Amino acid sequence: MKAACGIGVTETTVTAQGPILLARDVRKRFGANEVLKGVTLDVRRGEVVCVIGPSGSGKTTFLRCLNHLERIDGGRIEVDGALVGYRERPDGTLVEDTAREVARKRAEIGFVFQRFNLWPHLTAVENIIEAPIYVRGERRDAAIASAERLLARVGLADKRDAYPSKLSGGQQQRVAIARALAMRPKLMLFDEATSALDPETVGEVLAVMAELAAEGMTMICVTHEMGFAREAADRVVMMDDGLVIEEGPPEHFFTRPSNERTRQFLSKIL
Amino acid sequence: MVPAVNVEWPIIAERIFSPGQEFWRALVTTVTIAIIAQLLGIVLGLVSALAGLSRLLPVRLLSGAYVLIVRGTPLIVQIFFIFFGANLFFGFSLFPREVAIAGLTVSGAILAGIVALAFNEGAYMSEIIRAGIQAVDPGQMEAALSVGMTRPLAMRRIVLPQAARVIVPPLGNEFNGMIKNTSLLAFIGVYEMFFDAEVHYSTTFQPVEYFLAVAFWYLVLTTIWSVVQVQIERRLNPAEQMEETGVMGRVRRLQWGRAH
């Protein structure tokens, strides 16, 4: 998990106290199916949290709720002290925020998708400068300069003008990470970022993520990569059936998990 | 066998090889109306498609009703009510004999014809554009939202440029239909190609010759268009669709050109 150069996204400093993310009793249902049954999670600045658990346990849904790609049915989510997706009425009830406010909040939260979701009609560099220019109103030349730095840092400087269809899965995912970093997020969310990759390209993406972690980026990673969780995570969170059933430092998790379901799950995948 | 109709071929030859000034003006009218109505139809279709995908139920219903009614009734009836409707029901003429627009004098019938054809075309384009938008992977919109774009911005910058690839082939077929549909405007007195044929037929009572000749001219226009259409679709070929040489590349260059 070593890399030649740093990612260099140091805007998010580790100095400030208090959780950068605060999720309280988050509930979400799809029709009759209650996917999240009250998930609570606090994440400190600079902390790297890996969320593991069997498929269908609600990990991905929880992550999608954190940047309001899914509405929540109960609970509250705050990033850097401000509600995400909702605003609070004087009587304490939450109502969905305006589209503009939701978008402004999302811009502070990087999201990396399992299927990359790069924009196929734009080149690598254009994928990265799109939001800085059209969301943050950056000048085009300034946006290109920082996009080129980001591309170099994920090891893809030579792919600047390549369209996504010409890139391998691992390369596409690294561009997608650069695209998220270009908005200088306070928090990065990774939704099974390596699950759709060929085995030989998994390593290059994990290396970029590990480097980002080492530089102090706050990260929440839904992952099946136990090696990554063991190496890079400050804390591992186990979800099952819409609830957090166990959490702790990786040493605790991978040596003597206390929960029976955690033990079963780990014995199956390790 | 004795043919029931004695076709006078010289008349057809004359209508094809030297149809005269009036005819050329009628042809220009046909093409102009078709292009303007198609462009307006695309705009109307885009508005209706976006309305159809709205989160607000009344907006969706409005779009649905528009598409249902327009696609479910004859175009000629729509033309009739758009041209004569205001006068019949409210006693004033929405389209007077002549209308001055930007220094040009246009006949009210032509204006009504363009409005009617665009109104009709909008419903068909609405379905085509909606299908094109829905053909784009929802992950594309989500990625755009995740970096802080609002839905309208994401639609314009990310989804519609990709939907365009799906929209263009059926759009070509729509314009082919549009060229022929302009002939219905003869019904409200627009002097386009079919009206020109009718004028001659009504003075000579030789419909076969004039209708065959005018059909030939429609065939010429639609054939020219299908050559253009093949060229456009070749540029949208999946193998090169994302390259700088493709239409997308040119669309993007235009956009960047504006951004500078």
Side-chain angles (χ1 to χ4, degrees), chain A residues 48-266:
Chain A
V48 177
V49 174
C50 282
V51 182
I52 63 169
S55 55
S57 57
K59 314 181 292 288
T60 289
T61 304
F62 178 61
L63 208 65
R64 290 167 57 83
C65 287
L66 294 183
N67 75 341
H68 202 57
L69 281 179
E70 303 285 355
R71 298 194 179 104
I72 58 176
D73 299 319
R76 62 191 291 140
I77 294 167
E78 291 177 15
V79 167
D80 208 11
L83 281 167
V84 179
Y86 297 86
R87 64 200 152 77
E88 198 158 16
R89 285 219 189 101
D91 64 1
T93 55
L94 300 186
V95 286
E96 188 160 29
D97 219 334
T98 60
R100 190 156 293 281
E101 277 308 310
V102 171
R104 195 204 304 270
K105 204 68 201 165
R106 280 201 191 107
E108 300 177 349
I109 308 169
F111 199 101
V112 177
F113 297 84
Q114 185 179 354
R115 305 260 355 142
F116 333 132
N117 295 351
L118 286 183
W119 301 313
H121 60 303
L122 302 177
T123 62
V125 73
E126 287 165 357
N127 264 275
I128 298 170
I129 63 176
E130 183 74 14
I133 291 177
Y134 289 94
V135 175
R136 225 176 25 206
E138 253 179 53
R139 284 171 46 105
R140 188 175 163 79
D141 48 2
I144 287 177
S146 48
E148 283 171 343
R149 278 196 299 277
L150 282 167
L151 274 173
R153 281 161 181 169
V154 298
L156 292 171
D158 57 328
K159 300 294 183 187
R160 181 189 188 283
D161 297 316
Y163 283 89
S165 59
K166 305 285 181 216
L167 299 174
S168 75
Q171 291 170 334
Q172 288 188 57
Q173 193 62 298
R174 284 187 279 157
V175 174
I177 292 172
R179 175 177 69 180
L181 291 175
M183 291 302 284
R184 299 187 192 116
K186 295 173 172 170
L187 169 69
M188 286 283 285
L189 309 177
F190 293 83
D191 182 17
E192 301 193 24
T194 57
S195 297
L197 296 177
D198 292 332
E200 67 265 31
T201 63
V202 168
E204 66 195 44
V205 173
L206 290 180
V208 168
M209 288 169 63
E211 223 180 293
L212 205 51
E215 290 180 12
M217 173 60 79
T218 312
M219 294 165 55
I220 303 176
C221 314
V222 168
T223 186
H224 292 298
E225 293 292 333
M226 294 304 144
F228 175 78
R230 198 193 299 252
E231 303 264 323
D234 297 307
R235 184 155 47 117
V236 178
V237 170
M238 167 81 188
M239 279 184 72
D240 189 36
D241 197 26
L243 288 167
V244 172
I245 60 167
E246 186 167 3
E247 57 181 299
E251 315 80 79
H252 158 81
F253 244 85
F254 296 108
T255 52
R256 41 183 167 76
S258 49
N259 188 294
E260 180 54 32
R261 275 185 294 178
T262 310
R263 270 199 292 275
Q264 279 173 6
F265 174 71
L266 289 174

Side-chain angles (χ1 to χ4, degrees), chain B residues 126-160:
Chain B
S126 174
E127 290 296 274
I128 291 170
I129 294 172
R130 188 178 55 80
I133 290 172
Q134 286 177 332
V136 176
D137 174 10
Q140 294 290 308
M141 170 61 88
E142 289 195 342
L145 295 178
S146 79
V147 289
M149 291 193 195
T150 55
R151 268 175 197 278
L153 178 64
M155 188 56 79
R156 187 164 62 79
R157 295 285 315 165
I158 304 300
V159 177
L160 285 178

